[in-house]
Amino acid sequence: MANSTILLDYWPSMFCMRARVALREKGVVFEAREEDLTNKSPLLLQSNPIHKKVPVLIHNGKPVCESLNVVQYVDEAWSDKNPFFPSDPYGKAQARFWADYVDKKFSDAQFKIWGKKGEEQAAGVKEFIEAVKILESELGDKPYFGGDSFGYVDISLITFYSWFGAYEKFGNFSIEAESPKLIAWAKRCMEKESVSKSLPDQEKIVAYAAEFRKNNL
């Protein structure tokens, strides 16, 4: 595994998409190995024995776990191009704060929309819209969350865009009607090859979510 970059991956996971976007944004050649989460590979269990989750980036034989941690690692390991963070400490702290907000608020709410039903689902829609509006306010009129450059917060959030069709279908609401600036930002991000190559088609995600709901709800 020396001098190699392997990503233990799962195609519909927005967290795995973060790793794919980060690697492609840096121009890193990597091998994506699709995991079967119902029958996890020995390599995954060995590489992430604590959480047993994807993504795991294995760089020169050393595993890096947890998606935002992977993105930060990629930024530092391939620091010669396209930095994900601003250079000043305050800017870096702000970026980490908002990426953490995406993980804590946005992530929980979105799962309730497609992975739950009834009152729990309705609460998820409400929480999601609130989080979207807060994120849109933080974005303001900037092209990207960090300003003129695509960076850490953009990577943390844009991968959820592939799921927007599923949220709208199962939550019965329009994200663009609620947050037009955030949709414009998402479309801007999708113009980047690192993003468009890493995110699956929304219709594939809708079908995946529909199958999950059929089998689990």
Side-chain angles (χ1 to χ4, degrees):
M1 269 188 214
N3 300 316
S4 68
T5 306
I6 297 165
L7 178 65
L8 303 186
D9 202 2
Y10 185 54
W11 73 268
S13 165
M14 61 282 286
F15 304 107
C16 291
M17 292 176 215
R18 286 173 172 172
R20 300 200 292 263
V21 170
L23 289 163
R24 288 184 172 123
E25 187 65 11
K26 293 286 188 175
V28 179
V29 176
F30 65 97
E31 177 192 347
R33 293 191 186 174
E34 188 73 9
E35 282 287 331
D36 175 359
L37 299 188
T38 62
N39 184 24
K40 296 174 182 178
S41 72
L43 182 59
L44 173 58
L45 299 176
Q46 174 192 333
S47 303
N48 189 0
I50 305 301
H51 297 301
K52 303 177 178 64
K53 290 180 178 178
V54 288
V56 177
L57 179 69
I58 305 172
H59 184 215
N60 296 339
K62 295 177 180 177
V64 182
C65 307
E66 295 296 295
S67 63
L68 289 178
N69 193 35
V70 168
V71 173
Q72 291 185 49
Y73 177 86
V74 168
D75 191 43
E76 292 170 4
W78 290 274
S79 58
D80 57 325
K81 64 183 286 192
N82 299 343
F84 297 159
F85 287 91
S87 56
D88 64 294
Y90 180 75
K92 288 177 180 173
Q94 287 296 98
R96 290 191 182 102
F97 173 88
W98 286 108
D100 185 63
Y101 178 85
V102 170
D103 262 10
K104 285 181 176 164
K105 298 290 186 183
F106 200 81
S107 183
D108 286 350
Q110 64 85 30
F111 176 70
K112 291 177 188 173
I113 298 172
W114 67 272
K116 301 292 181 181
K117 58 184 179 179
E119 288 183 7
E120 211 170 352
Q121 184 187 44
V125 171
K126 184 172 179 287
E127 291 164 20
F128 180 86
I129 290 170
E130 286 172 1
V132 159
K133 287 185 180 298
I134 287 170
L135 287 163
E136 186 176 62
S137 175
E138 170 59 20
L139 176 65
D141 294 322
K142 303 187 297 287
Y144 301 105
F145 279 90
D148 292 331
S149 300
F150 179 80
Y152 185 62
V153 182
D154 304 292
I155 294 170
S156 76
L157 181 58
I158 188 56
T159 56
F160 290 88
Y161 182 62
S162 61
W163 281 80
F164 276 21
Y167 306 155
E168 291 183 328
K169 178 178 174 64
F170 300 114
N172 195 29
F173 70 108
S174 165
I175 298 170
E176 188 160 23
E178 299 289 347
S179 298
K181 280 186 181 177
L182 198 74
I183 295 295
W185 160 84
K187 290 177 178 175
R188 191 176 306 119
C189 292
M190 286 296 289
E191 292 171 4
K192 298 183 70 66
E193 189 176 341
S194 59
V195 177
S196 62
K197 272 192 167 183
S198 300
L199 271 60
D201 183 76
Q202 289 194 10
E203 287 306 312
K204 280 184 72 178
I205 295 290
V206 169
Y208 172 88
E211 187 69 15
F212 175 92
R213 291 178 67 83
K214 178 180 156 189
N215 293 335
N216 294 281
L217 298 183

